[in-house]
Amino acid sequence: MGYVDVAGVGFVLPDGRELFSEVSFRVGEGAKVALVGPNGAGKTTLLRMVSGDLPLQTGTVARAGGLGVMRQFIGMIGDDRTLEDLALSLVEPPLREAGARLAAAAVALGESEKSQLAYANALSQWGEAGGYDAEVLFDTVAVAILGKPWDEVRTRPVRTLSGGQQKRFALDLLLRGRDEVLLLDEPDNFLDVPGKRWLEARLKESSKSVLYVSHDRELLNQTAGRVVAVEGGGAWTHPGSFASWHEARADRHDRLLELRRRWDEEHEKLRELVFTLKQKAAYNDGLASRYQAAQTRLRKFEEAGPPPLPPKEQSLRMNLQGGRTGKRAVMCEQLELDNLTFPFDLEIWYGDRVAVLGANGTGKSHFLRLLAAGGSSPDVDNKPVDGAPLAHVAHSGVARLGARVRPGHFSQTHDRPELLERTLVDILWRGDDHRSGRDRAAAMKALNRYELAGQGDQLFKTLSGGQQARFLVLLLELSGATVLLLDEPTDNLDMASAEALEEGLSAFEGTVIAVTHDRWFTRGFDRFVLFQADGEVVETPAPVWDVR
């Protein structure tokens, strides 16, 4: 059985700021331990240090058992990896290396004896490393998740799968694999509700030791046997389940406040004593030793430092404004997404809050991308305003946007390559769109409302998934969009950020269309469009999570 021991680990950002310090916890054999905390607190960074992706700056990490890692984002738009590449990235290093050698030898294979011998050697090494057993595993997972044998899907580009299919494939492979320790970063992201229930059941029945990051309260409540909270520049462990974590956190904050109050009182008493003895010693030499002793005591007390204060609660203010459009915001007439849906009609009116529901792979994200591109007949009045790159969506029929409708698109994979190498202030201050910001002060003020002021000079690509999500919502706010097309917007947001988004959307003067599997988030919507697994698209009077 595998385990992980983390002792005294710390991390300092490139700009010199300390992200966290003295982080210590243990993931015992067969334990399911959740990492929770606000966006940007360092959860993903900590996972990367445990996995070895980031070098340790301070502290130690000890592991036993093979290590399987699933990162936050798997298949971004523009990622040309195949499903076989993804599968090999999730197996143990010797097998991964043997697979890479076999793939290279297959590409170089020709009629020459040398290339044929190299291929034969690579094939032999693949078998010795356990490659044929791995292919059986790949086939089992492919059939379970995609309904097709491995030979039919191994060369399929990962980006052609829905986010949920990508996650299900990776999770099933890791949970069935030989690694005894799993590190999972947001494993529930992109999963539909049946997929989340599947993950809950698989985690509970697995004998593996699992350390994972999630913001899904139901998943945490169902699976976490212990909670490690990363907040306030450190971490603490709650030995119970997530159900009792909130109460334990409130009690801990009360204790910290009480300890700090007592420290402040003792500090003030020592300072008054030193001041009093200093005055008296000036007239009485016999008190000089007592004065020096009091000074020493005060110095040691201050050097030890005060107990930590509870972490500051987040205060996000999303000011989504929108604007008036024509009465009909979206009109779909016999719209058919190729190989995904049957033709359907749909009208969405100004001010509607439409939740797009359905299983992974039914075409929901394709539908949003089509609308984000201006529909099937875009004109100058309703072109996308947020600059996100959009792949062509194969379809027939008509999807039209109404008068003065300006779509703003939030992608579930945060695929904005044009932002990766730019800082947040640079994007806002000298953005391509003049509406993005007029000066640095205005940019910092906007970032501060989203609790991103401290990351203003960081590159977009260095932000956590939750920080990226917040910043992309800010770009939508500043874009002037009148219809928001949100694809899984709460997946990477911590609880405070998700609540701020809900408040912002309630005040938004426009139309909201959101793909979501977040049961809590869906309560703020009044219309529900279901993309069924059989290709039918229907409207339902209430949310439908499991079409079965």
Side-chain angles (χ1 to χ4, degrees), residues 315-361:
S315 177
L316 284 82
R317 301 183 306 282
M318 297 183 179
N319 187 23
L320 297 162
Q321 295 182 346
R324 184 73 200 187
T325 68
K327 290 183 178 181
R328 294 195 297 179
V330 175
M331 294 145 282
C332 299
E333 300 169 2
Q334 291 297 289
L335 176 63
E336 180 179 2
L337 304 179
D338 289 5
N339 301 315
L340 290 170
T341 73
F342 291 117
F344 65 94
D345 297 330
L346 178 67
E347 281 191 339
I348 298 174
W349 301 82
Y350 168 77
D352 279 351
R353 297 314 195 243
V354 181
V356 181
L357 312 175
N360 295 135

Side-chain angles (χ1 to χ4, degrees), residues 300-316:
K300 290 182 177 179
F301 186 84
E302 291 178 336
E303 287 174 352
L309 285 168
K312 176 180 172 288
E313 297 292 346
Q314 296 188 88
S315 177
L316 284 82

Side-chain angles (χ1 to χ4, degrees), residues 13 35 67 130 134 159 174 184 201 216 422 425 432 499 548:
L13 295 166
L35 279 178
L67 182 68
R159 55 183 165 74
L174 288 171
L184 310 177
D216 189 292
R422 300 169 66 187
V425 169
D432 297 332
E499 290 171 0
R548 294 171 298 180

Side-chain angles (χ1 to χ4, degrees), residues 56-135:
L56 293 175
Q57 297 178 348
T58 59
T60 60
V61 172
R63 297 190 306 262
L67 182 68
V69 181
M70 191 185 74
R71 292 165 180 82
Q72 193 170 15
F73 297 112
I74 296 177
M76 305 282 284
I77 289 179
D79 183 353
D80 293 324
R81 289 189 304 166
T82 65
L83 206 55
E84 185 170 28
D85 296 330
L86 173 60
L88 288 174
S89 74
L90 297 170
V91 298
E92 55 270 25
L95 183 57
R96 188 183 315 150
E97 294 164 5
R101 287 193 295 269
L102 179 59
V107 170
L109 182 63
E111 295 183 359
S112 70
E113 182 179 348
K114 182 179 179 180
S115 68
Q116 293 175 1
L117 182 60
Y119 180 75
N121 288 334
L123 202 60
S124 176
Q125 293 170 358
W126 170 249
E128 292 172 358
Y132 297 119
D133 290 337
E135 288 184 355

